Amino acid sequence: MRLLFVEDDPHLASAVIRNLEASGFAVDHAPTRADAEACTRAARYDVMVLDLGLPDGDGLELLRGLRNRRDPLPVIVLTARDAVADRVAGLEAGADDYLVKPFAHEELVARLRAVLRRPREDLGDAVRFANLTYQPSAGTFTVDDGRPLVLPRREHMLLATLMRRPGRVVTRGVLEEAIWDFAQEIESNALESHVSRLRRHLKEAGAAVEIRSIRGVGYLLRAATS
Ligand code: CA
């Protein structure tokens, strides 16, 4: 289980990390909100433990940002604040659970396991790539912090297929199968024209991705190089 631990207190952090690693978690440590933002964009985690009082901002803002871009990453908020209002604010911002400092290590681990056992259907199995998010359960794409990207049906299917394999070549056959019914006659350049319309829509929406054509093979979705 890969865990992101966001905590600025170095003594608390090293003790908690040692315990978490002993409990089988692979831990990345982010001592600031900026570090945590960078980690969540660069890597995939199974769960986050988030301190609220950070030197460069409020952990709740970080959490709201995640939820605004439909990131379903389970988050346990960890804080010295124990007022009911703070707890409610944490849960309303999208925390899955709340633990007040000081806490026993066993309790943190028990809560982590409980959160990780929970089905994620309510948030959907979102797929994220660059600044683009695909929510398969809702069938929606969003850019950045939740701006909806609405596409014609075939472009939608095309992008959904590419989003499942970002950075890898998806063959023409797979893409054609995804967007046309078997019975349909496909014109030889039909896929190309859908791809070029999709490229235009992505650009207009400000999506930081590009669709590269791999001649004779298929297409590849990658982060846009500016
Ligand atoms: Ca703190």
Side-chain angles (χ1 to χ4, degrees), residues 23 34 38 44 62 70 72 78 89 103 113 116 124 136 149 172 203 226:
S23 299
R44 272 176 191 273
L62 175 81
R70 308 280 192 276
L78 199 63
F103 56 91
R113 299 224 159 104
L116 287 165
L149 168 62
R172 297 182 57 95
K203 196 171 175 192
S226 48

Side-chain angles (χ1 to χ4, degrees), residues 87 101 110 174 194:
R87 229 174 292 190
K101 294 175 187 174
V174 167
H194 283 294

Side-chain angles (χ1 to χ4, degrees), residues 27-216:
V27 184
D28 281 350
H29 176 218
T32 66
R33 181 181 161 187
D35 288 329
E37 298 272 8
C39 286
T40 57
R41 286 173 195 278
R44 272 176 191 273
Y45 294 95
D46 298 298
V47 64
M48 180 197 281
V49 178
L50 175 66
D51 177 36
L52 294 189
L54 297 168
D56 57 344
D58 194 322
L60 282 186
E61 291 304 315
L62 175 81
L63 180 56
R64 285 194 192 100
L66 280 179
R67 298 307 185 230
N68 281 342
R69 55 179 201 261
R70 308 280 192 276
D71 190 322
L73 176 67
V75 175
I76 294 183
V77 159
L78 199 63
T79 178
R81 305 175 199 184
D82 59 354
V84 172
D86 287 332
R87 229 174 292 190
V88 170
L91 296 170
E92 279 181 349
D96 296 81
D97 203 355
Y98 205 102
L99 195 54
V100 175
K101 294 175 187 174
F103 56 91
H105 176 67
E106 293 70 22
E107 183 172 9
L108 174 59
V109 170
R111 283 176 189 250
L112 282 167
R113 299 224 159 104
V115 159
L116 287 165
R117 267 198 309 271
R118 260 179 226 167
R120 307 298 304 167
E121 288 92 322
D122 51 340
L123 283 160
D125 42 342
V127 183
R128 266 183 59 210
F129 185 64
N131 66 344
L132 200 57
T133 304
Y134 175 50
Q135 195 84 36
S137 52
T140 54
F141 290 100
T142 48
V143 181
D144 288 331
D145 49 351
R147 244 180 317 126
L149 168 62
V150 181
L151 295 165
R153 194 173 67 92
R154 291 207 164 113
E155 289 171 49
H156 183 105
M157 301 302 287
L158 198 53
L159 184 57
T161 308
L162 289 167
M163 278 288 280
R164 289 177 197 280
R165 305 166 179 83
R168 281 156 55 193
V169 180
V170 183
T171 63
R172 297 182 57 95
V174 167
L175 291 170
E176 287 175 348
E177 227 168 79
I179 65 177
W180 283 286
D181 303 329
F182 285 111
Q184 269 177 308
E185 196 72 31
I186 307 165
E187 284 188 53
S188 62
N189 63 346
L191 182 59
E192 278 67 28
S193 52
H194 283 294
V195 168
S196 72
R197 279 197 290 272
L198 175 57
R199 280 182 178 134
R200 199 173 62 234
H201 283 133
L202 287 169
K203 196 171 175 192
E204 284 166 2
V209 297
E210 59 187 33
I211 302 171
R212 239 190 102 194
S213 155
I214 308 297
R215 228 187 136 157

